[in-house]
């Protein structure tokens, strides 16, 4: 509940836009949907749904058609389908060890994709140039596939937080950066809209909440392990990112005053205490987990201690957020799966029963694609907020 | 941004309700407001504002009148005023050491109030009986003041979290309790609506965000010290309370694995580490701060160490929430004011620059009234969500 008196109030026009957005969002998330279900789910009457679908079809955003044989008597309800191959955005992710880009259709369908490893320490200019090259290449495919007219609606980029300096700025890109003419390569693409930038953990949380392990759960802590730990938080169904989008730096929550010095300038940070035992990058976790599974005693001890510290921080976050799900993403997935007993043990001894009562511990359904899927959601955000305005410009 | 496809979509009727609620909320929070300002602030045209104010005036919720002499030429815009003495709710707070109740008018004006100390360990039945007595007594005043017709819209109760058992349940009242016929005394009051229950920290945060130190700030961590520490969190302008309303148990965030046993069953909890040096109830903090001010060396050391631990946890929360304000309420106010330098020092060494960049450290503007003011906001919540429906029933 917001108490801000300045919030905007609806007018007839804004209501229509909101309804168009809600309908388009529904089919974007749920896929092909009958008019009957839309009527039911959106709480609007049949004639309103009819008018809205007509508008969206007119703008080329959806198709309507007769459903496959249902076997039931009576006239079937028309099915509304997102025009996935026609309406698209670009999703990109700049991760610690690789660069990815995809052309994603409305409804979340990946139409095309590119990927390259990202050598350690690659400079901004080169990273952006690579992504621009991916996009240019995929643009050519769009042009080649027909007489044009496909609708580009925006682009989103997931940037690993781990590229931030100790002072909190992103090493590669300014925090909260708007990529634009500042960066070579982009302006030449002829994309009229600047990409929206989010961080990997936030966008992975958004993706898992929209299409993955946390669908229907409104209080979610998504933990992303990738050299360090950052969190994407969903509270009351909404992303919690803080004032400047810098929230979720849970890896730098100090859990041990006697702990090790951390690169951030503090000591005993959560991620540092885990990394004393198992390095928090993917390769480090996999190697440790493999060795432990083979029965190597030092490796088993290391994984046990790392998982114990993992549970330590999770218990703290459960006391703070009273979530219904904690999702272990990135490099944390394997550490959690191997050390789940230790994580659960910490949770049950350190978090209050009322706070942990309904919490489920999960791994991502979208796996490593979560950041890219989240970046695509960012790319569609403007369209879904105001479908006709965005589709027509 | 919510991505839930199930969210409800507006209809013409719901739009009118939303607009009525937004207008009434505006005058509830801001006080007397000209129609011109409402037109401007709510983004609606003059005729819509006129229709809405007519509806609200018809329901007895507002008055309209000519403003005081403005000294400007031309016809002045009518002023809309909340009918504070006519439309009211009951706000109550069950604190560790006292019980309070107030009759609060629309607009937040306290029309009447009662208070009694609450002896340590008072039983549920007695506490509720006392509050019911307060309300009954205030009801008599309403009846005596005229021929009736004043509009009761609801009641809210702030309950100290510190009355929860170690298992997370509230000792006095079930967590998330709905007071009703279960509890003696209430049903006899003839109040047709059950009180809404919130916890002290959440409601104090709501109050400071609506009318106090955090007005206009959308990312706020309000810390309430009262035997322990709990937080009321505002993120993106909305209350973050977690799945069951049990979030914000920041006092049980573990900050020291080598720390003291805590009553919750864990050890090294934030509140326990502070309380090693200065007991976290009001009397304990005041005594320690007074002794330190007189120059007593052990007291000075104790306050310094308690403030250092206070800053420790604040730095963690700043990394998690990237807030624009941290408000030190309850018993923490004096500890913060005396030990601000230590708190700031921890903040600057332990939190990431990007996370702490815009944070302001504040004390409550509403002081000890914050929980009661927040309970009143809870009492008005239903009215503001749907003014005519609520006023007419």
């Amino acid at each position: 509940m917001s108490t801000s008196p300045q919030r905007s109030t609806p007018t007839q026009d804004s209501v229509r836009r909101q309804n168009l957005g809600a309908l388009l969002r529904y089919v974007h998330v749920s896929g092909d949907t009958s008019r009957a279900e839309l009527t039911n789910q959106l709480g609007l009457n049949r004639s309103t749904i009819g008018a809205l679908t007509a508008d969206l079809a007119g703008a080329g955003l959806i198709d309507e058609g007769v459903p496959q044989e249902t076997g039931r008597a009576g006239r079937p309800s028309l099915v509304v389908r997102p025009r996935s191959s026609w309406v698209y955005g670009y999703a990109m992710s700049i991760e610690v060890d690789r660069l990815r880009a995809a052309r994603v259709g409305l409804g979340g369908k990946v139409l095309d994709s590119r990927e390259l490893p990202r050598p350690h320490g690659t400079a901004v200019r080169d990273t952006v140039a690579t992504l621009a090259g991916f996009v240019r290449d995929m643009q050519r495919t769009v042009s080649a596939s027909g007489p044009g007219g496909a609708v580009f609606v925006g682009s989103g980029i997931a940037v690993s937080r781990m590229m931030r300096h100790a002072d909190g700025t992103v090493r590669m890109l300014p925090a909260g950066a708007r990529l634009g003419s500042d960066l070579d390569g982009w302006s030449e693409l002829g994309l009229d809209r600047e990409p929206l930038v989010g961080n990997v953990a936030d966008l992975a949380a958004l993706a898992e909440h929209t299409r993955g392990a946390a669908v229907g759960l409104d209080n979610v802590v998504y933990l992303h392990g990738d050299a360090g730990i950052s969190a994407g938080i969903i509270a009351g169904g909404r992303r919690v990112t803080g004032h400047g989008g810098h929230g979720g730096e849970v890896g730098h929550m100090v859990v041990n005053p006697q702990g090790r010095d951390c690169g951030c300038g503090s000591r005993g940070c959560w991620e540092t205490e885990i990394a004393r035992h198992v390095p928090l990058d993917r390769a480090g976790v996999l190697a440790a987990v493999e060795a432990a599974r083979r029965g190597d005693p030092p490796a088993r001890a290391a994984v046990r201690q790392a998982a114990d510290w993992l549970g330590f921080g999770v218990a703290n976050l459960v006391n703070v957020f009273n979530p219904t799900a904690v999702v272990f993403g990135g490099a944390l997935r394997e550490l959690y799966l191997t050390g789940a007993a230790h994580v659960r043990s910490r949770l049950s001894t350190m978090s209050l029963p009322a706070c942990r009562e309904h919490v489920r511990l999960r791994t991502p359904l979208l796996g490593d694609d979560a950041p890219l899927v989240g970046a695509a959601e960012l790319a569609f955000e403007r369209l879904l907020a105001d479908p006709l305005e965005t589709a027509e410009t």
Side-chain angles (χ1 to χ4, degrees), chain A residues 161-374:
Chain A
R161 262 184 194 162
M162 294 309 135
M163 287 176 228
R164 282 209 196 133
H165 277 296
D167 66 359
T169 56
V170 175
R171 191 187 305 162
M172 289 207 32
L173 304 166
R178 310 183 67 197
L179 297 176
S181 54
D182 284 350
L183 297 169
D184 288 349
W186 274 107
S187 50
E188 298 159 23
L189 290 175
L191 300 174
D192 51 346
R193 280 171 199 145
E194 281 184 11
L196 295 167
V197 180
N199 75 59
V200 165
D202 281 335
L203 294 182
L206 172 61
E208 292 291 339
H209 184 239
T210 309
R211 302 176 184 280
V215 167
L217 302 178
D218 275 354
N219 292 277
V220 179
V221 175
Y222 175 96
L223 298 171
H224 190 76
D226 188 7
I229 302 179
S230 53
I233 309 286
I234 309 269
R238 289 165 177 264
R239 287 159 68 197
V240 170
T241 57
H243 172 68
H246 305 295
E249 289 284 5
V250 297
H252 295 287
M253 172 172 71
V254 177
V255 292
N256 188 2
Q258 283 82 41
R260 280 215 184 155
D261 286 347
C262 176
C264 76
S266 185
R267 64 148 63 183
C269 291
W270 184 29
E271 63 184 49
T272 311
E273 293 306 296
I274 298 176
R276 274 166 85 155
H277 306 287
V278 170
L280 268 176
D281 58 297
R282 195 175 311 256
V285 171
L286 285 177
V289 162
E290 265 309 303
R293 280 189 191 139
R294 283 195 310 269
D296 177 53
R300 291 181 63 176
V303 167
R304 190 172 59 239
Q305 291 188 285
D308 184 57
W309 276 114
L310 179 61
F312 194 106
V314 167
N316 276 356
L317 294 173
V318 165
N319 280 339
V320 173
F321 288 106
N322 182 205
T324 38
V326 177
V327 183
F328 296 85
L332 292 181
R333 181 177 182 278
E334 298 305 320
L335 183 57
Y336 164 69
L337 287 174
T338 308
H342 302 288
V343 173
R344 289 185 185 281
S345 166
R346 278 291 184 185
L347 195 63
S348 65
T349 54
M350 284 177 53
S351 57
L352 299 181
C355 297
R356 71 168 187 261
E357 190 182 6
H358 297 285
V359 73
R360 280 163 278 191
L361 305 184
R362 295 189 168 177
T363 54
L365 265 187
L366 303 168
D368 291 342
D369 289 338
L372 202 61
V373 173

Side-chain angles (χ1 to χ4, degrees), chain A residues 122-140:
Chain A
T122 309
V124 177
R125 177 179 300 259
D126 298 335
T127 296
V128 172
T130 304
L131 287 179
F134 284 164
V135 170
R136 194 176 304 114
D137 201 42
M138 291 190 281
Q139 279 180 315
R140 275 193 212 107

